[in-house]
Amino acid sequence: EVKVRRKQRRKAQLAQWRDKFIQNLQSAGLLMEKVNVKKAIHYLKLHAPWDVLVYYAEELCLRAPLQAQPQPDFNTSAQVLQKLWVPNIMKDSVPNRPVDYYTCAFRKSKMEKFLGSDDRENYFTNTQRHRIVYEILARTVYGRRKRAEVGVARLLNEGAFTGAFPLHEGPFELPGCDMQPDKLNKRQVLYHYWSNWLKWYKYQPLDHIREYFGEKIALYFAWLGFYTAWLLPAALVGTCVFVSAWSMIWYRFCVFMSLWAVTFLEYWKRKNATLAHHWDCMDFHEEEEPPRPEFSAMAPAMEENPVTGVKEPYFPEKARISRMLTGSMVIVIMVRPTGVVRVMIFLVTVIIYRSIVSSLVLLSEAVTIKLQINLIYLVSPNKTLPETFFPTEMHRTQTQYEDAFTFKVFIFQFVNFYSSPFYVAFFKGRFVGYPGHYGTLFGMRNEDCGSGGCLIELAEQLCIIMVGKQLINNVQEFVIPKIKAWRQKRALSSVKKAQKAEQPKCWEQDYELIPCEGLFDEYLEIVLQFGFITIFVAAFPLAPLFALLNNWVEVRLDAYKFVCEYRRPVAERAQHIGVWFIILEALSHVSVIVNAFLIAFTSDFLPRLLYQYKFNNDLHGYVNFTLAYSPPSYNYSSHTVCRYKAFRDENGKYTLVYWELLAARLGFIIAFEHVVFFVLRVIDWMVPDIPESLELKIKRERYLAKQALADNQEALLVSKTDHQPQLSDTIFIF
């Protein structure tokens, strides 16, 4: 009975919140239409009338068109091939390409200055309507403001609603063959010209993606396509290095990949700036992004924004610092077992595991390595766990919140995925000892590298990761959405049986789709891949090739999911890929340091050079030079003389050659890092972040905006009309 009463009270509480929320939405000016109310699932359509759209368009600083301009071509390869008069098979004629405009911030009082302002039906795009409606949903209070009972996101988490999403613009299936391409809806265009597997070698229609899904998703696919294109030269060079099997080229390849990584990032900054201006979000984060609804609800004071001059919710710095320290302490507690202690536990586990497995002759070394990698994933942290702590930090904007969340979760995943390769590269075989005095841990002998060396074992690990793990990930990305969609349809089967004679409505079809879970997992997978192909490239030169093959598949898999299997996400604005770029820069710098250590301490590159310089240029007797004799005490006890790989004398002490080699290794690391970082700074200086042609466009746009907004005119009086807005803004399901 107690459980029943609790369930009833909970149900009544949700109903009260839901009713209050709907009332406040109506007070905010949204129009509502209840559909399918006689069925088990209730749908509520929301529409934004013209006056509401105009009010929020000015408040959200939406961009308004001033003047059309020619469509630019952002594909460098297309420009090069055109100059060389070479046919470009990657170019595709996609219909209904969005028009490019010079724009400025929307102002209601300057309505007549904007193109198309007399056409209320089509002036605001569907993505702009979705953004405005969702902003209202995110701001609307349904309970006590002091408890942050604000916004549709929390209502969804509480279970008051089971879904809130914009509608897709029709089906994605293509009509008959007689249909003209320019008559296809936007979703059909994306399905046929983007997510189609036959288009794997074509350019992505980024303008169409941005028009349908918003800038944030479009920037992800632009970055993924740009990164995949840059993998092509790295894959060609890596394949040549692997086939040649010449050791000197392997080490030069490390320098090449370090320069490749930084050059790629520099040119992505140029590409990103061009797209951000083209999509009218270049100054979005600095000037236009509004405070988060949770921040606004819980802020104790109001203060003038130094940029806009408008009073906004304000959180005192002392209060924010205390909250951030609280969140950081939670992170420290969580990182501690997943950091130092977790690595130590992992090392001990691997040592114990390998000690046991070494006695089993039937197990192959490949299986041993695979199981060793899997030890990491058995204790992987739940990335959703920090979500409960990060809101306490009270980040002002959604971008700041997402960047903080991304950075902290990436720390967990960095330890997860890179601890095993780092162990093999820098720890395994370093504390073995020598005959008669072997190093032990908890009474067991420390693990040594195989006969091929630790670099070969690291290459085997990376091969398993770059081939096996990526293949499994792609299979999961293809199968899991199918399973989720099947479960969703099965849960709604009882409702479908009750309406056999009725044709399902568009909102019912969209409700059967999978909720979009964002781009975090997509970014994480590719950024971790970037780390593998740059940090450990000395061990596995074929890594860029397998990354290229994986990403060709990844682009179409992700495109298909967004077009066909996901509910349409709310279009979000974004200026760049966020904190992921900072992480990529950090990984590129880490790769320089790690590759220097790999060449110096894991390979035979420096011992060979030292032997050539000091003893024999043709390397005659080099193998004997690298082997030491076992101590006399060990020879007496075992009745045999033993040779092992080390620079020690007969008493087990390090020889002068060891210290000379150590000095050479440290000197090489310092020289390698300084040379590479110097070249990187030169590349950074030579490649400006903003192209000259883009700077000219920015100046032209600012001039037009100044002309459009300079005149002092009276505010236009817009009377409320009976105009019926478009019916594709947002759907509630409860």
Side-chain angles (χ1 to χ4, degrees):
E1 293 182 1
V2 175
K3 291 183 179 179
V4 173
R5 290 178 182 176
R6 287 180 180 175
K7 186 178 279 189
Q8 290 176 347
R9 285 198 298 267
R10 179 63 176 173
K11 190 175 181 180
Q13 179 69 70
L14 294 178
Q16 182 181 354
W17 283 346
R18 187 164 54 240
D19 294 339
K20 182 65 175 178
F21 187 70
I22 293 175
Q23 291 176 7
N24 291 340
L25 289 178
Q26 291 175 328
S27 301
L30 292 184
L31 303 179
M32 300 187 182
E33 177 186 354
K34 293 184 179 180
V35 291
N36 299 43
V37 294
K38 295 182 180 180
K39 298 177 182 178
I41 302 177
H42 300 269
Y43 298 88
L44 183 65
K45 270 192 195 178
L46 302 181
H47 321 300
W50 172 255
D51 54 346
V52 174
L53 292 173
V54 170
Y55 174 82
Y56 279 95
E58 184 167 355
E59 183 170 340
L60 298 177
C61 296
L62 297 186
R63 308 293 292 187
L66 293 172
Q67 178 181 323
Q69 62 172 328
Q71 287 284 3
D73 192 352
F74 300 119
N75 296 302
T76 306
S77 59
Q79 299 172 3
V80 173
L81 293 176
Q82 185 178 8
K83 292 180 180 180
L84 297 176
W85 298 90
V86 176
N88 188 0
I89 62 172
M90 296 177 290
K91 195 170 184 179
D92 202 4
S93 179
V94 184
N96 303 327
R97 184 177 180 181
V99 182
D100 190 25
Y101 295 101
Y102 288 111
T103 63
C104 71
F106 179 84
R107 291 293 181 270
K108 180 180 178 180
S109 60
K110 306 297 181 182
M111 181 73 72
E112 63 182 13
K113 298 285 187 177
F114 303 131
L115 296 180
S117 58
D118 54 343
D119 184 8
R120 293 186 175 185
E121 185 72 27
N122 301 309
Y123 181 74
F124 292 104
T125 64
N126 278 341
T127 51
Q128 288 176 330
R129 292 170 179 267
H130 299 160
R131 193 176 298 134
I132 290 173
V133 172
Y134 198 82
E135 182 67 23
I136 298 174
L137 297 179
R139 295 184 182 186
T140 303
V141 180
Y142 63 86
R144 297 184 181 180
R145 184 178 291 272
K146 292 184 178 180
R147 294 183 179 179
E149 294 175 344
V150 180
V152 67
R154 185 165 177 181
L155 279 175
L156 290 171
N157 292 333
E158 296 287 351
F161 297 99
T162 58
F165 52 88
L167 295 178
H168 279 292
E169 299 184 20
F172 66 85
E173 295 89 352
L174 295 177
C177 299
D178 298 334
M179 190 74 172
Q180 296 295 327
D182 57 351
K183 300 297 182 182
L184 299 175
N185 65 47
K186 296 176 183 179
R187 192 181 183 193
Q188 290 170 337
V189 169
L190 291 176
Y191 174 73
H192 182 65
Y193 293 93
W194 180 41
S195 64
N196 192 340
W197 289 94
L198 298 177
K199 302 289 184 177
W200 65 271
Y201 61 95
K202 298 290 186 180
Y203 295 130
Q204 297 185 86
L206 295 178
D207 286 338
H208 295 76
I209 301 171
R210 177 250 179 172
E211 183 185 37
Y212 195 79
F213 292 110
E215 292 82 6
K216 191 171 186 178
I217 292 176
L219 276 174
Y220 162 72
F221 283 102
W223 170 77
L224 179 57
F226 189 80
Y227 168 58
T228 303
W230 271 72
L231 280 174
L232 185 59
L236 291 175
V237 174
T239 304
C240 293
V241 169
F242 182 81
V243 172
S244 65
W246 185 27
S247 60
M248 289 294 293
I249 301 181
W250 286 53
Y251 311 134
R252 295 174 185 174
F253 184 52
C254 297
V255 181
F256 168 80
M257 286 302 297
S258 298
L259 299 178
W260 172 90
V262 176
T263 307
F264 155 70
L265 294 176
E266 289 300 320
Y267 275 93
W268 166 248
K269 285 194 288 189
R270 290 168 59 92
K271 176 82 170 181
N272 187 96
T274 303
L275 291 175
H277 176 265
H278 177 53
W279 292 338
D280 302 319
C281 54
M282 197 164 199
D283 300 324
F284 168 61
H285 292 327
E286 287 81 0
E287 300 176 3
E288 302 177 13
E289 189 171 10
R292 295 174 61 234
E294 294 83 356
F295 179 88
S296 301
M298 300 187 68
M302 299 287 291
E303 191 167 291
E304 186 177 287
N305 187 315
V307 177
T308 62
V310 179
K311 281 194 173 183
E312 292 182 351
Y314 173 74
F315 230 97
E317 196 67 24
K318 291 183 179 179
R320 288 194 68 250
I321 291 176
S322 64
R323 286 174 174 267
M324 293 182 69
L325 289 177
T326 303
S328 299
M329 290 305 297
V330 174
I331 297 303
V332 169
I333 294 173
M334 297 176 67
V335 168
R336 184 180 64 183
T338 57
V340 179
V341 176
R342 182 168 174 269
V343 170
M344 293 302 297
I345 294 174
F346 170 74
L347 297 181
V348 173
T349 306
V350 169
I351 293 172
I352 297 174
Y353 165 77
R354 293 296 293 263
S355 300
I356 297 174
V357 171
S358 61
S359 62
L360 303 177
V361 183
L362 297 178
L363 291 181
S364 66
E365 184 67 10
V367 175
T368 302
I369 295 173
K370 183 176 180 181
L371 292 177
Q372 178 179 326
I373 298 173
N374 288 339
L375 288 174
I376 305 172
Y377 307 119
L378 295 178
V379 286
S380 296
N382 183 3
K383 80 176 183 66
T384 61
L385 186 58
E387 289 182 344
T388 59
F389 300 105
F390 295 164
T392 63
E393 298 181 4
M394 282 299 112
H395 297 286
R396 177 184 172 274
T397 63
Q398 184 66 22
T399 300
Q400 293 172 349
Y401 167 78
E402 291 179 356
D403 287 352
F405 172 78
T406 298
F407 178 75
K408 292 173 184 177
V409 176
F410 181 79
I411 294 176
F412 300 137
Q413 302 298 349
F414 183 89
V415 175
N416 284 342
F417 286 89
Y418 295 125
S419 57
S420 181
F422 269 104
Y423 165 74
V424 174
F426 299 112
F427 294 97
K428 186 178 180 181
R430 305 296 175 186
F431 311 101
V432 178
Y434 56 94
H437 295 81
Y438 290 111
T440 60
L441 183 64
F442 299 110
M444 290 178 292
R445 180 174 166 180
N446 291 341
E447 188 181 17
D448 197 2
C449 297
S451 57
C454 290
L455 201 63
I456 299 300
E457 290 195 24
L458 181 59
E460 292 173 347
Q461 274 202 14
L462 293 176
C463 181
I464 294 173
I465 292 172
M466 297 302 298
V467 179
K469 184 178 180 300
Q470 289 192 151
L471 181 61
I472 293 173
N473 285 345
N474 287 331
V475 172
Q476 288 178 339
E477 287 193 35
F478 179 77
V479 173
I480 291 178
K482 304 290 185 185
I483 297 175
K484 289 182 177 179
W486 173 79
R487 292 179 60 186
Q488 180 85 343
K489 292 180 180 179
R490 184 180 179 184
L492 299 174
S493 59
S494 59
V495 179
K496 285 186 174 182
K497 291 179 181 178
Q499 51 175 351
K500 287 184 178 179
E502 299 181 19
Q503 183 69 21
K505 305 297 183 181
C506 58
W507 49 85
E508 295 175 325
Q509 294 176 345
D510 285 5
Y511 181 58
E512 294 180 357
L513 300 177
I514 308 168
C516 181
E517 298 177 351
L519 296 169
F520 179 86
D521 290 333
E522 315 298 339
Y523 271 118
L524 179 64
E525 178 184 354
I526 305 301
V527 169
L528 289 173
Q529 178 200 93
F530 178 84
F532 280 119
I533 69 171
T534 53
I535 295 178
F536 304 106
V537 70
F540 191 52
L542 287 180
L545 174 63
F546 289 112
L548 174 65
L549 298 176
N550 173 81
N551 290 0
W552 268 335
V553 177
E554 185 74 23
V555 171
R556 303 304 158 184
L557 274 177
D558 291 345
Y560 184 83
K561 286 190 300 185
F562 275 93
V563 174
C564 304
E565 297 180 334
Y566 283 166
R567 295 174 187 169
R568 187 176 183 179
V570 178
E572 297 183 57
R573 301 187 69 190
Q575 185 181 7
H576 41 62
I577 62 175
V579 74
W580 291 113
F581 184 81
I582 300 176
I583 294 174
L584 289 170
E585 280 191 318
L587 289 176
S588 67
H589 286 76
V590 169
S591 70
V592 177
I593 301 173
V594 172
N595 280 304
F597 274 89
L598 280 175
I599 296 173
F601 285 95
T602 308
S603 68
D604 290 332
F605 174 62
L606 290 179
R608 287 172 179 267
L609 287 181
L610 179 64
Y611 186 81
Q612 287 178 316
Y613 173 77
K614 192 172 183 179
F615 297 102
N616 196 325
N617 192 47
D618 60 3
L619 294 176
H620 181 72
Y622 171 73
V623 175
N624 187 62
F625 165 74
T626 61
L627 299 178
Y629 287 92
S630 56
S633 59
Y634 178 83
N635 299 337
Y636 177 78
S637 61
S638 61
H639 305 287
T640 183
V641 177
C642 175
R643 302 291 301 274
Y644 62 100
K645 190 173 183 179
F647 295 98
R648 296 177 184 266
D649 57 19
E650 292 185 352
N651 296 321
K653 297 181 179 180
Y654 289 117
T655 62
L656 179 62
V657 174
Y658 171 83
W659 299 109
E660 292 176 342
L661 182 58
L662 179 61
R665 284 169 168 165
L666 296 177
F668 171 81
I669 292 172
I670 295 173
F672 183 92
E673 292 176 358
H674 279 68
V675 170
V676 174
F677 282 131
F678 173 76
V679 176
L680 300 185
R681 297 286 75 80
V682 172
I683 294 174
D684 189 10
W685 173 73
M686 293 178 61
V687 182
D689 294 346
I690 301 178
E692 294 183 4
S693 59
L694 178 58
E695 290 183 350
L696 181 61
K697 286 185 178 181
I698 294 173
K699 293 178 181 179
R700 171 65 177 169
E701 187 170 54
R702 288 176 178 172
Y703 170 78
L704 292 175
K706 184 178 180 180
Q707 293 295 316
L709 303 178
D711 299 335
N712 293 323
Q713 299 179 355
E714 295 182 359
L716 297 177
L717 298 178
V718 181
S719 59
K720 295 184 180 180
T721 65
D722 296 332
H723 170 69
Q724 179 65 29
Q726 294 185 4
L727 304 181
S728 59
D729 288 334
T730 299
I731 283 290
F732 267 147
I733 303 95
F734 58 90

